[in-house]
Amino acid sequence: MIAQLPGFQVGYDDQGDGLPVVFLHGFPHDRTLWAAQRASLAPHARCIVPDLRGFGQSSTHGPFSMDQYADDVVGLLDWLAIESAVVCGLSMGGYVAMALWRRHPDRARAFVFCDTRLGADSEEGQRRRDELAALVKRDGARAIADAQITGMVGPTTRERRPEVMATLRAMMGRQSVAGIVGALQAMRDRPDSRDTLRTISVPSLVIVGEDDVLTPIKEARAIAEALPSVARVRLEIIAGAGHVPCLERPAATTHALSDFLSTLS
Ligand code: MLT
């Protein structure tokens, strides 16, 4: 589906009834990342799955920042007349979820932070963003798919699930250069979110793939430890998955989400 917001088009899926849950994809993904969870959870929840600005069917123009992505998500919630939702973000989607709490805390009913981190980029990390942006401008989106695919999944997926690798590679390779470069800038310039997490007062689930090397388990623990106890934090480690458990171990990820959602209604 397409929402025509003022000056900006959002591609999104809206399936199911009940508690609204917004799923935010990572980098450089699109909303199909969450296809399995949308299909499985739709009988119990209203699954809203947007393409972030620059990805999938959403407009490819800027401005690009975590704040802007968060405002775009809230723009979609307004358009759908949804007051508040559970916000579930993977990696870059998690950074957007943190920005959403900073800017629109009344719109978050609960959070799921998947394979993400609370810290800002180091100087070396920022340099790497600029190098990747130059690579994509020169060689296109496929170049970033080639550069990132191996680190994005765990060894179980690499060795036993070539179809998941192929799905992910195709997803990364079809994104727009403008969207990828914009997201790299937005991630490079994002703030540290430790203080933001400390103020979260809604229930929060932290999920991480056991073999995630991009945002390893220690990052998930740091998030869980920064969240106050009032957020009733849970940490779920998904065995046999790397950075994208929703794609690598869809049933286990859906199960963790479903358990958490059942505590909210
Ligand atoms: C993602 O999956 O969104 C990225 O790994 C996030 C990042 O590069 O910081």
Side-chain angles (χ1 to χ4, degrees):
M1 287 180 234
I2 301 288
Q4 293 292 349
L5 307 186
F8 173 61
Q9 164 181 305
V10 189
Y12 72 103
D13 294 309
D14 179 0
Q15 188 180 349
D17 291 309
L19 182 66
V21 185
V22 178
F23 292 90
L24 304 175
H25 61 77
F27 170 86
H29 307 146
D30 60 30
R31 69 189 200 258
T32 63
L33 184 80
W34 292 107
Q37 286 68 40
R38 173 170 59 81
S40 304
L41 293 171
H44 318 287
R46 181 171 176 188
C47 301
I48 317 285
V49 198
D51 289 320
L52 292 173
R53 181 180 287 257
F55 296 96
Q57 291 181 294
S58 291
S59 302
T60 57
H61 62 79
F64 293 99
S65 67
M66 291 307 144
D67 287 355
Q68 183 63 57
Y69 292 133
D71 291 357
D72 291 344
V73 172
V74 168
L76 179 63
L77 290 180
D78 287 344
W79 199 76
L80 296 169
I82 293 174
E83 258 176 49
S84 67
V86 180
V87 181
C88 171
L90 182 133
S91 202
M92 184 175 83
Y95 309 156
V96 178
M98 294 173 203
L100 191 142
W101 179 255
R102 274 193 289 278
R103 295 171 72 77
H104 310 279
D106 51 326
R107 309 306 290 270
R109 165 82 178 75
F111 283 108
V112 184
F113 297 107
C114 295
D115 301 82
T116 188
R117 57 158 57 83
L118 51 71
D121 277 7
S122 62
E123 274 183 29
E124 194 199 324
Q126 291 183 322
R127 264 197 304 279
R128 176 83 186 127
R129 302 283 191 204
D130 292 339
E131 285 164 12
L132 279 177
L135 173 77
V136 173
K137 281 185 198 160
R138 197 185 62 228
D139 296 339
R142 292 251 174 98
I144 205 150
D146 291 342
Q148 299 220 310
I149 185 84
T150 307
M152 201 156 277
V153 297
T156 313
T157 308
R158 271 199 300 279
E159 285 154 25
R160 297 194 213 147
R161 304 206 51 202
E163 73 286 1
V164 171
M165 298 279 284
T167 300
L168 189 58
R169 185 188 281 275
M171 191 193 305
M172 298 199 288
R174 67 175 173 249
Q175 304 309 322
S176 72
V177 169
I180 292 175
V181 170
L184 285 165
Q185 285 162 1
M187 290 193 287
R188 180 195 62 194
D189 298 337
R190 77 187 191 281
D192 185 285
S193 288
R194 185 179 297 274
D195 288 345
T196 303
L197 288 173
R198 286 199 177 114
T199 67
I200 289 182
S201 54
V202 295
S204 300
L205 169 66
V206 184
I207 294 182
V208 64
E210 179 182 35
D211 302 315
D212 187 345
V213 291
L214 296 182
T215 48
I217 291 178
K218 72 171 191 314
E219 299 286 355
R221 286 201 207 287
I223 292 174
E225 281 160 20
L227 286 160
S229 53
V230 66
R232 289 190 282 125
V233 185
R234 282 169 59 186
L235 171 63
E236 294 276 350
I237 297 175
I238 308 289
H243 190 56
V244 284
C246 51
L247 209 59
E248 298 176 76
R249 295 286 322 279
T253 306
T254 303
H255 191 256
L257 284 168
S258 166
D259 269 3
F260 178 64
L261 296 179
S262 69
T263 66
L264 302 176
S265 36

